[in-house]
Amino acid sequence: MSNEVAWCPPITDQGLSWIDEPGPASDIVVSSRVRLARNIESYRFAARASDNDREVILRRVREAAEDLSTLGEGDLWEIQRLDHSDRALLVERHLVSTELIGLRRSSPQRGAGLLLARDRTTGLMVNEEDHLRLQSLRGGLQLEAAWCDVDQLDEEIGSRIPYAYHPDLGFLTRCPTNAGTGLRASVFIHLPALVVTRQIAKVLQGVKQLGMTYRGLYGEGSKIVGNFFQLSNETTLGKSEEALIDQIERFVKNIIGYEQQARAALLLEAPGVLEDKVWRAYGILRHARRLQYEEFMNLLSGVRLGASLKLLESPGVETLSRVMIHAQTAHLSRAAGRRLNETDASSFRARYVRATLKDARRPG
């Protein structure tokens, strides 16, 4: 029996299921993502693909999606059909890249699309840097579970659409650094204690030495705010997918250990200073009338640290993860029913954060 795939449905809560499954080490690791880059045999790669090529590829994915058990009933959006606010909403949920929505161009390229399962954050981007970018997002440190999601999706699509593959080089991609397995695994991780204790530079140097990289909130080229970092592997050639996942997960666990040690040291050596920092951040968020997003993220970092260390009884880290998503400008514009400028967004953000913290149980 074929699955029903909705074509360009309204965007509601799709792609947020990872928040409700916090997973291991969720007080430090916000989320885990695994992505596979794939290109379709006999089609020119994205940089040289024609509009007709891209539209044919999107159509082939749509046809294949009707019979993909890994996605069940899913949603498929053609990016060109979405307005600016919906495109921004998908970026803020980390479901699409700025490349896919055409942020650097006047509009998205024809054939750009997103296919997403309804019950979990698993799907694929169509006609981004490569023809297909398969991906899964999980809460907490769940790289292995995210890999299993993507591996199953890869098997199903690969059995229906032939991939561009070389016996020596592996899967062929537009960027040579993605060739081989085509796998990128990343974690979105919160490291405030390492920043406060000034150990973060040493940790990030170790990230580079081990063939990994770090980025900001929205990936490559974005700014690091609120002590949140995206850590991912840089190379995909020469190791199996399982070996890469295992190596990255072991490295992330080491960083988690360093952060836990730094938090314990802060509690031991400067408990009053730490508690003051946490409660000041909470007080500003609880009462502010205007909040720029960067300021909000820095304050959220302090509150999240306090929640993790039980210095605050509430809110929990899951609530704070949801707030981090919904306090972004496109989400606030959706709630307001109109496109907000930055001044209006800062007021709506403060109002939304105040209401959310008020609804949470009052800290003890």
Side-chain angles (χ1 to χ4, degrees), residues 254-283:
N254 286 337
I255 294 179
I256 292 172
Y258 298 146
E259 173 67 18
Q260 289 172 333
Q261 290 172 15
R263 293 183 182 193
L266 288 173
L267 278 173
L268 180 65
E269 298 170 9
V273 173
L274 180 59
E275 190 173 13
D276 182 67
K277 176 182 175 65
V278 168
W279 279 92
R280 280 178 183 271
Y282 177 83

Side-chain angles (χ1 to χ4, degrees), residues 79-358:
I79 304 300
Q80 269 197 326
R81 292 173 178 245
L82 300 177
D83 61 24
H84 177 275
S85 62
D86 280 342
R87 295 173 197 164
L89 204 73
L90 295 176
V91 171
E92 289 182 355
R93 293 182 186 181
H94 304 280
L95 300 174
V96 301
S97 63
T98 55
E99 171 75 16
L100 189 76
I101 68 167
L103 191 64
R104 297 181 180 87
R105 300 183 297 272
S106 58
S107 64
Q109 290 185 311
R110 288 165 58 181
L114 171 68
L115 174 63
L116 189 68
R118 292 181 190 170
D119 60 344
R120 53 201 172 115
T121 312
T122 302
L124 64 148
M125 291 185 285
V126 185
N127 289 316
E128 195 235 25
E129 182 177 310
D130 294 288
H131 295 152
L132 307 176
R133 287 287 178 93
L134 289 63
Q135 57 189 9
S136 179
L137 186 64
R138 292 274 191 150
L141 182 57
Q142 295 197 77
L143 287 173
E144 187 173 348
W147 158 242
C148 288
D149 294 337
V150 170
D151 187 36
Q152 293 172 17
L153 181 59
D154 186 40
E155 289 289 335
E156 282 204 319
I157 293 179
S159 68
R160 293 161 176 78
I161 301 175
Y163 292 143
Y165 184 85
H166 188 278
D168 297 323
L169 299 177
F171 293 100
L172 302 179
T173 56
R174 175 183 171 185
C175 180
T177 60
N178 288 327
T181 62
L183 182 145
R184 294 274 180 172
S186 64
V187 294
F188 187 47
I189 191 167
H190 185 218
L191 303 174
L194 287 173
V195 173
V196 171
T197 58
R198 301 184 180 180
Q199 300 177 65
I200 192 65
K202 183 178 179 180
V203 170
L204 295 180
Q205 184 180 8
V207 168
K208 287 288 188 180
Q209 290 174 346
L210 288 176
M212 297 183 66
T213 189
Y214 62 92
R215 298 183 172 94
L217 182 64
Y218 298 109
E220 188 171 0
S222 62
K223 187 177 181 180
I224 294 170
V225 294
N227 306 313
F228 291 94
F229 300 80
Q230 283 194 45
L231 307 180
S232 66
N233 61 304
E234 277 198 301
T235 58
T236 66
L237 188 64
K239 290 185 178 180
S240 69
E241 293 90 339
E242 292 80 5
L244 281 169
I245 293 293
D246 181 67
Q247 178 187 10
I248 297 165
E249 184 152 330
R250 283 190 285 110
F251 180 67
V252 171
K253 285 180 177 178
N254 286 337
I255 294 179
I256 292 172
Y258 298 146
E259 173 67 18
Q260 289 172 333
Q261 290 172 15
R263 293 183 182 193
L266 288 173
L267 278 173
L268 180 65
E269 298 170 9
V273 173
L274 180 59
E275 190 173 13
D276 182 67
K277 176 182 175 65
V278 168
W279 279 92
R280 280 178 183 271
Y282 177 83
I284 295 174
L285 290 182
R286 184 67 181 81
H287 298 287
R289 264 43 188 175
R290 288 182 184 273
L291 286 170
Q292 297 293 331
Y293 190 69
E294 184 172 337
E295 178 192 13
F296 158 74
M297 286 293 289
N298 289 326
L299 294 167
L300 183 77
S301 175
V303 174
R304 189 181 180 97
L305 177 60
S308 301
L309 295 175
K310 309 303 181 187
L311 297 176
L312 295 172
E313 184 179 337
S314 66
V317 291
E318 292 81 16
T319 298
L320 296 173
S321 292
R322 190 172 294 278
V323 170
M324 182 170 62
I325 298 296
H326 287 283
Q328 296 173 103
T329 301
H331 281 78
L332 294 172
S333 296
R334 169 66 64 88
R338 62 184 176 87
R339 189 170 176 178
L340 301 175
N341 59 36
E342 283 307 310
T343 300
D344 289 340
S346 67
S347 298
F348 271 83
R349 182 174 298 113
R351 187 186 310 170
Y352 163 69
V353 173
R354 289 199 311 272
T356 303
L357 294 182
K358 183 179 179 180

